[in-house]
Amino acid sequence: MERVRTYCRICEAACGMVAERAGGELRRLVPDAAHPISRGFACVKGPAMVDVHRDPARLDHPERRLPNGGGDRWTRVSWTEALADIGARLKRVRDTYGPDAIGVYIGNPTAFNVGLSVYAAGFLAALGTRNFYNAASLDCQNKFAVAEEMFGHYVIQPIPDLDHTDFFLCLGSNPLVSQMSFVAMPRALERLKGIVARGGRVVSVNPRRTETADAVGEQLFIRPDSDAFLLMAMLRVIFDEELEDGVACAQLAHLDELRAAARAFELDDVAAATGIARDTIVELARSFARAPSANAYCSTGVNQGSQGSLAFLGVQALNAITGNLDRAGGARVPSRAVKFAKLARLLGRMRPPRPSRIGNFAPVAESLPTGILADEILTPGQGQIRALLVIAGNPLLSAPSGARLGEALRALELCVAIDLYRNETGVLAHYTLPATDWLEREDFPLVQSGMQPEPYAQLSPAVAAPRGERRQEADILVAIARAAKLRMFGTPGLTSVFGRVAPEKVYPWVSRLVGLPASRQPVLVAPDTPGAFLDDVPTRDGRVDVGPAKVLADVPRALERCRREATSPPGLKLIGRRQRRSHNSWMNDLSKLKKSDDGCRLAIHPTDAARLGVTDGARVSVTSAVGRVEVEAELDEALMPGTVSMPHGWRINVNELAADGPAALEPLSGMARYNGIEVDVQALRH
Ligand SMILES: Nc1nc2c(c(=O)[nH]1)N[C@H]1C(S)=C(S)[C@@H](COP(=O)(O)OP(=O)(O)OC[C@H]3O[C@@H](n4cnc5c(=O)[nH]c(N)nc54)[C@H](O)[C@@H]3O)O[C@H]1N2
Ligand SMILES: Nc1nc2c(c(=O)[nH]1)N[C@H]1C(S)=C(S)[C@@H](COP(=O)(O)OP(=O)(O)OC[C@H]3O[C@@H](n4cnc5c(=O)[nH]c(N)nc54)[C@H](O)[C@@H]3O)O[C@H]1N2
Ligand code: SF4
Ligand SMILES: [Mo]
């Protein structure tokens, strides 16, 4: 038995794994007990990747769809034929309608795939299109938009220093299930338990008592989509009671603007709108400000609300004004994030930013909001999207309003999906092209390098040979560009370098750029010094901006919403949740890796259920302003009454209930809204 060290590339945690091989064949993946960070930890999904690798349902060959009345047929074609036809059709679209007529959507797994990240940037530069979309505008674009203003670049994202903190305020995350986001850190639960064991506090702010809150710390129920109000109220208490850190505040830009914004929020309104008692808000703010060290953190539960940018500003402003930004135990900025920002700037320069045709959204983190993709395809005129490449994504289930997006995808002249599976989006494509999985390619955790509490480096080789005719996305993109007569990376110099070499050749170079050794074994590197970031903030004036005008422009809307929510009796509100045994829309039902809808249920509190005549296991219809789904109900005491919860990524598509189009998106960042959607639930009679 041969054992090769590698790491999991399904989520940020990047858990160390050992690939066991015999006779050249991959047999098993086991958690790497000797890994310096994950130390033998892995969730249920990591080892199951072997089953994804061997799954008979995987795409192994390029295939073309033959429309055939109602029932489409898929036929196997050679790579040569597929690439030539795709190239010729892309060229025709571009020559006829211009560069913006070709759109690209890339999904979440791209974050853990350096070859795809770098070569997708090169491919976009070659196309010269403004129409680049990705999962960020469904996930975290509010964080990118605010970090750009506050810290000088979108990739600079403070991470919670859980191993040294005395107070962790966690809004809208469920670390036990998700291992969190925007921090590359396995063993989240153990670290949270460590805080409590040291005598510190862990407070989960969430409309649902999560598995995490059940296991550690305190639960604080909050009404969906009201986090921005709570954060502004906490800032207000700290300012009113002069609990801020004077030395830290002297270094911050636009503090007066932040203070004025916070003071516009009346504590009684906030208490009524959030469902959190006034005294509790005051106590929380005092306790946070007085803790020797503290950090506030938010994730998708907050990002996917209607004012995620203002809320994220609130989170980071809390850290900053209490002196917890870049302090041990606070919200730390890894030095590699700043180095990574420089690399991102370099790649970003290949495509000058242009606003969207629909809704006039400025690109954030180089991409436009996926919530306008259907409109960009369906609205006639100069710049209309006619061809779309979907890489490592499933927007049909992950983006708002799957029905509208489906209609749009059907209207395309060409749609190509590059994936492990023919997912719900791929079914509507003209071609599906088989990609290698992470076991079949070399890689290193680049994105994670800017989010590691304990920095380390690890360059993993491929641990399995590609099955069938699977190819790496980078190679596929180079080949498509060649067939479409496009210049990869846009400039002759870069084309000559990147257009010819295998993507792996650039890894040691990229790795050095962010200050990491290209080591095949996981190796710890020197930890960052707290405070170093504050000495060299890459904003224009070198200071962290806690009151950026672009973000505070959303305060009047928050005040109006807060007052309205405080007085009007709220109806049922829908929120999302993640599940242990699936990853967004893939790996659903891990036992077979085939998709059923077994895991998709509407959780509802027993009091709401009783009022509506809904029993456990009953079928219900859920209706929002824009859509309707039918699903099985499950009674769940963990929910705050008035809240219902449904996971995404299933064929029963919760995102039929979410609105797309410019008016439905967060104005600054273009984030889609999934949390706090007003719905009507009715029991279905048989
Ligand atoms: N209602 C609601 N909607 C949501 C969310 C929510 O919380 N609620 N969450 C949002 C979030 S946070 C995210 S990140 C998005 C995700 O949105 P997407 O990224 O669009 O969707 P995924 O389901 O992650 O799809 C990933 C696809 O990549 C494929 N894949 C996996 N590995 C590879 C690889 O190495 N190469 C290639 N080529 N393909 C690969 C998988 O088979 C799968 O089809 O969904 C968003 N949508
Ligand atoms: N097992 C598993 N792990 C995953 C994923 C997966 O699909 N499965 N997906 C990965 C991805 S792409 C991401 S982005 C991360 C996300 O990681 P997390 O952000 O931790 O995602 P969730 O576990 O969905 O936790 C979101 C929480 O927000 C709460 N919430 C909903 N609405 C609100 C609200 O209005 N206010 C507040 N305060 N809370 C609210 C929900 O109850 C839920 O507990 O997880 C990653 N890890
Ligand atoms: S937590 Fe699970 S999915 Fe994430 S890297 Fe670790 S094993 Fe992979
Ligand atoms: Mo995500």
PDB file of all heavy atoms in Angstrom, residues 205-207 220-229 269-276 565-571 573 575 640-643 676:
ATOM      1  N   VAL A 205     -25.594  34.267  17.185  1.00  0.00           N
ATOM      2  CA  VAL A 205     -26.762  35.087  16.875  1.00  0.00           C
ATOM      3  C   VAL A 205     -27.416  34.483  15.641  1.00  0.00           C
ATOM      4  O   VAL A 205     -26.812  34.459  14.564  1.00  0.00           O
ATOM      5  CB  VAL A 205     -26.344  36.553  16.608  1.00  0.00           C
ATOM      6  CG1 VAL A 205     -27.568  37.409  16.301  1.00  0.00           C
ATOM      7  CG2 VAL A 205     -25.561  37.103  17.793  1.00  0.00           C
ATOM      8  N   ASN A 206     -28.622  33.981  15.781  1.00  0.00           N
ATOM      9  CA  ASN A 206     -29.185  33.153  14.718  1.00  0.00           C
ATOM     10  C   ASN A 206     -30.683  32.965  14.969  1.00  0.00           C
ATOM     11  O   ASN A 206     -31.101  32.802  16.113  1.00  0.00           O
ATOM     12  CB  ASN A 206     -28.470  31.777  14.773  1.00  0.00           C
ATOM     13  CG  ASN A 206     -28.535  31.013  13.473  1.00  0.00           C
ATOM     14  OD1 ASN A 206     -29.610  30.780  12.942  1.00  0.00           O
ATOM     15  ND2 ASN A 206     -27.384  30.603  12.969  1.00  0.00           N
ATOM     16  N   PRO A 207     -31.513  32.959  13.918  1.00  0.00           N
ATOM     17  CA  PRO A 207     -32.935  32.673  14.128  1.00  0.00           C
ATOM     18  C   PRO A 207     -33.194  31.191  14.422  1.00  0.00           C
ATOM     19  O   PRO A 207     -34.328  30.814  14.693  1.00  0.00           O
ATOM     20  CB  PRO A 207     -33.596  33.040  12.786  1.00  0.00           C
ATOM     21  CG  PRO A 207     -32.549  33.699  11.981  1.00  0.00           C
ATOM     22  CD  PRO A 207     -31.215  33.279  12.518  1.00  0.00           C
ATOM     23  N   LEU A 220     -28.445  33.327  20.909  1.00  0.00           N
ATOM     24  CA  LEU A 220     -29.232  34.552  20.953  1.00  0.00           C
ATOM     25  C   LEU A 220     -30.110  34.589  19.708  1.00  0.00           C
ATOM     26  O   LEU A 220     -29.617  34.748  18.591  1.00  0.00           O
ATOM     27  CB  LEU A 220     -28.285  35.765  20.989  1.00  0.00           C
ATOM     28  CG  LEU A 220     -28.927  37.136  21.170  1.00  0.00           C
ATOM     29  CD1 LEU A 220     -29.751  37.205  22.446  1.00  0.00           C
ATOM     30  CD2 LEU A 220     -27.848  38.214  21.190  1.00  0.00           C
ATOM     31  N   PHE A 221     -31.420  34.398  19.904  1.00  0.00           N
ATOM     32  CA  PHE A 221     -32.335  34.391  18.758  1.00  0.00           C
ATOM     33  C   PHE A 221     -32.482  35.794  18.193  1.00  0.00           C
ATOM     34  O   PHE A 221     -32.627  36.762  18.933  1.00  0.00           O
ATOM     35  CB  PHE A 221     -33.711  33.875  19.176  1.00  0.00           C
ATOM     36  CG  PHE A 221     -33.760  32.382  19.342  1.00  0.00           C
ATOM     37  CD1 PHE A 221     -33.815  31.802  20.602  1.00  0.00           C
ATOM     38  CD2 PHE A 221     -33.734  31.549  18.221  1.00  0.00           C
ATOM     39  CE1 PHE A 221     -33.863  30.424  20.755  1.00  0.00           C
ATOM     40  CE2 PHE A 221     -33.774  30.170  18.359  1.00  0.00           C
ATOM     41  CZ  PHE A 221     -33.840  29.598  19.631  1.00  0.00           C
ATOM     42  N   ILE A 222     -32.453  35.882  16.876  1.00  0.00           N
ATOM     43  CA  ILE A 222     -32.672  37.162  16.208  1.00  0.00           C
ATOM     44  C   ILE A 222     -33.644  36.946  15.064  1.00  0.00           C
ATOM     45  O   ILE A 222     -33.616  35.904  14.401  1.00  0.00           O
ATOM     46  CB  ILE A 222     -31.334  37.756  15.682  1.00  0.00           C
ATOM     47  CG1 ILE A 222     -31.540  39.164  15.121  1.00  0.00           C
ATOM     48  CG2 ILE A 222     -30.695  36.850  14.616  1.00  0.00           C
ATOM     49  CD1 ILE A 222     -30.233  39.931  14.883  1.00  0.00           C
ATOM     50  N   ARG A 223     -34.507  37.908  14.815  1.00  0.00           N
ATOM     51  CA  ARG A 223     -35.421  37.790  13.668  1.00  0.00           C
ATOM     52  C   ARG A 223     -34.602  37.842  12.384  1.00  0.00           C
ATOM     53  O   ARG A 223     -33.636  38.596  12.297  1.00  0.00           O
ATOM     54  CB  ARG A 223     -36.419  38.957  13.653  1.00  0.00           C
ATOM     55  CG  ARG A 223     -37.415  38.872  14.757  1.00  0.00           C
ATOM     56  CD  ARG A 223     -38.843  39.138  14.239  1.00  0.00           C
ATOM     57  NE  ARG A 223     -39.756  38.942  15.359  1.00  0.00           N
ATOM     58  CZ  ARG A 223     -40.158  39.950  16.148  1.00  0.00           C
ATOM     59  NH1 ARG A 223     -39.780  41.177  15.907  1.00  0.00           N
ATOM     60  NH2 ARG A 223     -40.965  39.702  17.149  1.00  0.00           N
ATOM     61  N   PRO A 224     -35.003  37.057  11.384  1.00  0.00           N
ATOM     62  CA  PRO A 224     -34.259  37.043  10.121  1.00  0.00           C
ATOM     63  C   PRO A 224     -34.069  38.441   9.535  1.00  0.00           C
ATOM     64  O   PRO A 224     -34.961  39.296   9.646  1.00  0.00           O
ATOM     65  CB  PRO A 224     -35.145  36.194   9.201  1.00  0.00           C
ATOM     66  CG  PRO A 224     -35.899  35.294  10.118  1.00  0.00           C
ATOM     67  CD  PRO A 224     -36.121  36.099  11.376  1.00  0.00           C
ATOM     68  N   ASP A 225     -32.903  38.640   8.963  1.00  0.00           N
ATOM     69  CA  ASP A 225     -32.589  39.853   8.196  1.00  0.00           C
ATOM     70  C   ASP A 225     -32.639  41.131   9.036  1.00  0.00           C
ATOM     71  O   ASP A 225     -32.969  42.194   8.530  1.00  0.00           O
ATOM     72  CB  ASP A 225     -33.545  39.968   6.990  1.00  0.00           C
ATOM     73  CG  ASP A 225     -33.005  40.897   5.917  1.00  0.00           C
ATOM     74  OD1 ASP A 225     -31.794  41.200   5.950  1.00  0.00           O
ATOM     75  OD2 ASP A 225     -33.793  41.348   5.061  1.00  0.00           O
ATOM     76  N   SER A 226     -32.331  41.026  10.334  1.00  0.00           N
ATOM     77  CA  SER A 226     -32.303  42.233  11.158  1.00  0.00           C
ATOM     78  C   SER A 226     -30.933  42.444  11.819  1.00  0.00           C
ATOM     79  O   SER A 226     -30.782  43.266  12.713  1.00  0.00           O
ATOM     80  CB  SER A 226     -33.417  42.170  12.224  1.00  0.00           C
ATOM     81  OG  SER A 226     -33.192  41.108  13.129  1.00  0.00           O
ATOM     82  N   ASP A 227     -29.903  41.715  11.354  1.00  0.00           N
ATOM     83  CA  ASP A 227     -28.580  41.808  11.975  1.00  0.00           C
ATOM     84  C   ASP A 227     -27.975  43.210  11.882  1.00  0.00           C
ATOM     85  O   ASP A 227     -27.291  43.653  12.802  1.00  0.00           O
ATOM     86  CB  ASP A 227     -27.624  40.801  11.316  1.00  0.00           C
ATOM     87  CG  ASP A 227     -28.142  39.382  11.449  1.00  0.00           C
ATOM     88  OD1 ASP A 227     -28.991  38.969  10.629  1.00  0.00           O
ATOM     89  OD2 ASP A 227     -27.745  38.695  12.393  1.00  0.00           O
ATOM     90  N   ALA A 228     -28.225  43.884  10.760  1.00  0.00           N
ATOM     91  CA  ALA A 228     -27.649  45.234  10.603  1.00  0.00           C
ATOM     92  C   ALA A 228     -28.143  46.145  11.728  1.00  0.00           C
ATOM     93  O   ALA A 228     -27.377  46.958  12.259  1.00  0.00           O
ATOM     94  CB  ALA A 228     -28.015  45.814   9.237  1.00  0.00           C
ATOM     95  N   PHE A 229     -29.402  45.968  12.121  1.00  0.00           N
ATOM     96  CA  PHE A 229     -29.948  46.829  13.190  1.00  0.00           C
ATOM     97  C   PHE A 229     -29.232  46.532  14.512  1.00  0.00           C
ATOM     98  O   PHE A 229     -28.853  47.440  15.248  1.00  0.00           O
ATOM     99  CB  PHE A 229     -31.460  46.610  13.385  1.00  0.00           C
ATOM    100  CG  PHE A 229     -32.283  46.504  12.127  1.00  0.00           C
ATOM    101  CD1 PHE A 229     -33.455  45.749  12.100  1.00  0.00           C
ATOM    102  CD2 PHE A 229     -31.905  47.175  10.972  1.00  0.00           C
ATOM    103  CE1 PHE A 229     -34.224  45.650  10.951  1.00  0.00           C
ATOM    104  CE2 PHE A 229     -32.661  47.074   9.810  1.00  0.00           C
ATOM    105  CZ  PHE A 229     -33.820  46.297   9.799  1.00  0.00           C
ATOM    106  N   ASP A 269     -36.561  50.601  18.983  1.00  0.00           N
ATOM    107  CA  ASP A 269     -36.945  50.105  17.654  1.00  0.00           C
ATOM    108  C   ASP A 269     -36.159  48.848  17.309  1.00  0.00           C
ATOM    109  O   ASP A 269     -36.698  47.873  16.790  1.00  0.00           O
ATOM    110  CB  ASP A 269     -36.650  51.159  16.568  1.00  0.00           C
ATOM    111  CG  ASP A 269     -37.647  52.311  16.600  1.00  0.00           C
ATOM    112  OD1 ASP A 269     -38.690  52.158  17.279  1.00  0.00           O
ATOM    113  OD2 ASP A 269     -37.380  53.348  15.953  1.00  0.00           O
ATOM    114  N   VAL A 270     -34.859  48.894  17.584  1.00  0.00           N
ATOM    115  CA  VAL A 270     -34.004  47.752  17.255  1.00  0.00           C
ATOM    116  C   VAL A 270     -34.453  46.523  18.059  1.00  0.00           C
ATOM    117  O   VAL A 270     -34.549  45.418  17.521  1.00  0.00           O
ATOM    118  CB  VAL A 270     -32.517  48.071  17.520  1.00  0.00           C
ATOM    119  CG1 VAL A 270     -31.655  46.823  17.353  1.00  0.00           C
ATOM    120  CG2 VAL A 270     -32.034  49.182  16.582  1.00  0.00           C
ATOM    121  N   ALA A 271     -34.772  46.748  19.332  1.00  0.00           N
ATOM    122  CA  ALA A 271     -35.225  45.627  20.165  1.00  0.00           C
ATOM    123  C   ALA A 271     -36.497  45.011  19.574  1.00  0.00           C
ATOM    124  O   ALA A 271     -36.603  43.787  19.443  1.00  0.00           O
ATOM    125  CB  ALA A 271     -35.466  46.104  21.596  1.00  0.00           C
ATOM    126  N   ALA A 272     -37.433  45.875  19.178  1.00  0.00           N
ATOM    127  CA  ALA A 272     -38.695  45.355  18.635  1.00  0.00           C
ATOM    128  C   ALA A 272     -38.471  44.660  17.288  1.00  0.00           C
ATOM    129  O   ALA A 272     -39.081  43.631  16.994  1.00  0.00           O
ATOM    130  CB  ALA A 272     -39.699  46.491  18.484  1.00  0.00           C
ATOM    131  N   ALA A 273     -37.580  45.205  16.462  1.00  0.00           N
ATOM    132  CA  ALA A 273     -37.381  44.641  15.119  1.00  0.00           C
ATOM    133  C   ALA A 273     -36.569  43.347  15.152  1.00  0.00           C
ATOM    134  O   ALA A 273     -36.793  42.449  14.348  1.00  0.00           O
ATOM    135  CB  ALA A 273     -36.686  45.668  14.214  1.00  0.00           C
ATOM    136  N   THR A 274     -35.612  43.262  16.085  1.00  0.00           N
ATOM    137  CA  THR A 274     -34.762  42.063  16.132  1.00  0.00           C
ATOM    138  C   THR A 274     -35.349  40.969  17.011  1.00  0.00           C
ATOM    139  O   THR A 274     -34.963  39.810  16.888  1.00  0.00           O
ATOM    140  CB  THR A 274     -33.365  42.396  16.711  1.00  0.00           C
ATOM    141  OG1 THR A 274     -33.545  42.978  18.011  1.00  0.00           O
ATOM    142  CG2 THR A 274     -32.583  43.334  15.811  1.00  0.00           C
ATOM    143  N   GLY A 275     -36.250  41.372  17.920  1.00  0.00           N
ATOM    144  CA  GLY A 275     -36.756  40.401  18.887  1.00  0.00           C
ATOM    145  C   GLY A 275     -35.782  40.179  20.035  1.00  0.00           C
ATOM    146  O   GLY A 275     -35.926  39.241  20.815  1.00  0.00           O
ATOM    147  N   ILE A 276     -34.759  41.043  20.153  1.00  0.00           N
ATOM    148  CA  ILE A 276     -33.781  40.931  21.245  1.00  0.00           C
ATOM    149  C   ILE A 276     -34.034  42.082  22.235  1.00  0.00           C
ATOM    150  O   ILE A 276     -34.071  43.253  21.825  1.00  0.00           O
ATOM    151  CB  ILE A 276     -32.332  41.021  20.709  1.00  0.00           C
ATOM    152  CG1 ILE A 276     -32.079  39.901  19.678  1.00  0.00           C
ATOM    153  CG2 ILE A 276     -31.316  40.932  21.844  1.00  0.00           C
ATOM    154  CD1 ILE A 276     -30.748  40.008  18.962  1.00  0.00           C
ATOM    155  N   GLU A 565     -40.353  47.186  10.691  1.00  0.00           N
ATOM    156  CA  GLU A 565     -40.351  45.851  11.307  1.00  0.00           C
ATOM    157  C   GLU A 565     -40.711  45.932  12.789  1.00  0.00           C
ATOM    158  O   GLU A 565     -41.252  44.987  13.360  1.00  0.00           O
ATOM    159  CB  GLU A 565     -38.968  45.202  11.176  1.00  0.00           C
ATOM    160  CG  GLU A 565     -38.508  45.014   9.748  1.00  0.00           C
ATOM    161  CD  GLU A 565     -38.892  43.661   9.182  1.00  0.00           C
ATOM    162  OE1 GLU A 565     -38.658  42.654   9.873  1.00  0.00           O
ATOM    163  OE2 GLU A 565     -39.441  43.625   8.062  1.00  0.00           O
ATOM    164  N   ALA A 566     -40.374  47.077  13.400  1.00  0.00           N
ATOM    165  CA  ALA A 566     -40.644  47.241  14.830  1.00  0.00           C
ATOM    166  C   ALA A 566     -42.141  47.345  15.102  1.00  0.00           C
ATOM    167  O   ALA A 566     -42.609  46.981  16.174  1.00  0.00           O
ATOM    168  CB  ALA A 566     -39.920  48.480  15.355  1.00  0.00           C
ATOM    169  N   THR A 567     -42.878  47.855  14.116  1.00  0.00           N
ATOM    170  CA  THR A 567     -44.296  48.102  14.370  1.00  0.00           C
ATOM    171  C   THR A 567     -45.229  47.112  13.691  1.00  0.00           C
ATOM    172  O   THR A 567     -46.280  46.784  14.232  1.00  0.00           O
ATOM    173  CB  THR A 567     -44.677  49.533  13.918  1.00  0.00           C
ATOM    174  OG1 THR A 567     -44.166  49.724  12.592  1.00  0.00           O
ATOM    175  CG2 THR A 567     -44.100  50.573  14.842  1.00  0.00           C
ATOM    176  N   SER A 568     -44.834  46.629  12.503  1.00  0.00           N
ATOM    177  CA  SER A 568     -45.783  45.759  11.794  1.00  0.00           C
ATOM    178  C   SER A 568     -45.645  44.318  12.258  1.00  0.00           C
ATOM    179  O   SER A 568     -44.545  43.835  12.498  1.00  0.00           O
ATOM    180  CB  SER A 568     -45.532  45.836  10.285  1.00  0.00           C
ATOM    181  OG  SER A 568     -44.249  45.326  10.001  1.00  0.00           O
ATOM    182  N   PRO A 569     -46.774  43.621  12.408  1.00  0.00           N
ATOM    183  CA  PRO A 569     -46.675  42.216  12.819  1.00  0.00           C
ATOM    184  C   PRO A 569     -46.059  41.407  11.680  1.00  0.00           C
ATOM    185  O   PRO A 569     -46.578  41.417  10.569  1.00  0.00           O
ATOM    186  CB  PRO A 569     -48.146  41.823  13.045  1.00  0.00           C
ATOM    187  CG  PRO A 569     -48.956  42.830  12.294  1.00  0.00           C
ATOM    188  CD  PRO A 569     -48.131  44.058  12.121  1.00  0.00           C
ATOM    189  N   PRO A 570     -44.925  40.755  11.946  1.00  0.00           N
ATOM    190  CA  PRO A 570     -44.246  40.072  10.848  1.00  0.00           C
ATOM    191  C   PRO A 570     -44.958  38.770  10.477  1.00  0.00           C
ATOM    192  O   PRO A 570     -45.504  38.086  11.340  1.00  0.00           O
ATOM    193  CB  PRO A 570     -42.866  39.785  11.432  1.00  0.00           C
ATOM    194  CG  PRO A 570     -43.046  39.802  12.909  1.00  0.00           C
ATOM    195  CD  PRO A 570     -44.275  40.591  13.227  1.00  0.00           C
ATOM    196  N   GLY A 571     -44.949  38.455   9.185  1.00  0.00           N
ATOM    197  CA  GLY A 571     -45.454  37.168   8.729  1.00  0.00           C
ATOM    198  C   GLY A 571     -44.354  36.127   8.869  1.00  0.00           C
ATOM    199  O   GLY A 571     -43.325  36.373   9.511  1.00  0.00           O
ATOM    200  N   LYS A 573     -41.129  34.103   7.963  1.00  0.00           N
ATOM    201  CA  LYS A 573     -39.947  34.453   7.171  1.00  0.00           C
ATOM    202  C   LYS A 573     -39.085  33.224   6.926  1.00  0.00           C
ATOM    203  O   LYS A 573     -38.830  32.438   7.844  1.00  0.00           O
ATOM    204  CB  LYS A 573     -39.142  35.533   7.881  1.00  0.00           C
ATOM    205  CG  LYS A 573     -39.898  36.845   7.850  1.00  0.00           C
ATOM    206  CD  LYS A 573     -39.010  38.021   8.029  1.00  0.00           C
ATOM    207  CE  LYS A 573     -39.798  39.290   7.752  1.00  0.00           C
ATOM    208  NZ  LYS A 573     -39.219  40.435   8.409  1.00  0.00           N
ATOM    209  N   ILE A 575     -35.607  31.273   5.923  1.00  0.00           N
ATOM    210  CA  ILE A 575     -34.139  31.344   5.931  1.00  0.00           C
ATOM    211  C   ILE A 575     -33.572  30.035   5.389  1.00  0.00           C
ATOM    212  O   ILE A 575     -34.307  29.063   5.203  1.00  0.00           O
ATOM    213  CB  ILE A 575     -33.576  31.598   7.356  1.00  0.00           C
ATOM    214  CG1 ILE A 575     -33.962  30.468   8.319  1.00  0.00           C
ATOM    215  CG2 ILE A 575     -34.042  32.946   7.889  1.00  0.00           C
ATOM    216  CD1 ILE A 575     -33.223  30.499   9.640  1.00  0.00           C
ATOM    217  N   MET A 640     -36.789  29.857  15.748  1.00  0.00           N
ATOM    218  CA  MET A 640     -37.520  30.939  16.386  1.00  0.00           C
ATOM    219  C   MET A 640     -38.931  30.924  15.769  1.00  0.00           C
ATOM    220  O   MET A 640     -39.046  30.853  14.542  1.00  0.00           O
ATOM    221  CB  MET A 640     -36.812  32.236  16.011  1.00  0.00           C
ATOM    222  CG  MET A 640     -37.256  33.445  16.730  1.00  0.00           C
ATOM    223  SD  MET A 640     -36.212  34.821  16.150  1.00  0.00           S
ATOM    224  CE  MET A 640     -36.600  36.017  17.395  1.00  0.00           C
ATOM    225  N   PRO A 641     -39.974  30.976  16.582  1.00  0.00           N
ATOM    226  CA  PRO A 641     -41.311  31.005  15.974  1.00  0.00           C
ATOM    227  C   PRO A 641     -41.406  32.165  14.981  1.00  0.00           C
ATOM    228  O   PRO A 641     -40.815  33.222  15.185  1.00  0.00           O
ATOM    229  CB  PRO A 641     -42.238  31.210  17.172  1.00  0.00           C
ATOM    230  CG  PRO A 641     -41.479  30.646  18.337  1.00  0.00           C
ATOM    231  CD  PRO A 641     -40.042  30.943  18.056  1.00  0.00           C
ATOM    232  N   GLY A 642     -42.137  31.936  13.903  1.00  0.00           N
ATOM    233  CA  GLY A 642     -42.232  32.965  12.863  1.00  0.00           C
ATOM    234  C   GLY A 642     -41.202  32.779  11.765  1.00  0.00           C
ATOM    235  O   GLY A 642     -41.200  33.514  10.779  1.00  0.00           O
ATOM    236  N   THR A 643     -40.310  31.801  11.962  1.00  0.00           N
ATOM    237  CA  THR A 643     -39.247  31.550  10.979  1.00  0.00           C
ATOM    238  C   THR A 643     -39.388  30.131  10.440  1.00  0.00           C
ATOM    239  O   THR A 643     -39.626  29.200  11.209  1.00  0.00           O
ATOM    240  CB  THR A 643     -37.877  31.662  11.663  1.00  0.00           C
ATOM    241  OG1 THR A 643     -37.804  32.915  12.339  1.00  0.00           O
ATOM    242  CG2 THR A 643     -36.740  31.573  10.661  1.00  0.00           C
ATOM    243  N   GLY A 676     -34.849  35.840   5.118  1.00  0.00           N
ATOM    244  CA  GLY A 676     -35.854  36.816   5.517  1.00  0.00           C
ATOM    245  C   GLY A 676     -36.930  37.026   4.457  1.00  0.00           C
ATOM    246  O   GLY A 676     -37.656  38.013   4.505  1.00  0.00           O
TER     247      GLY A 676
END
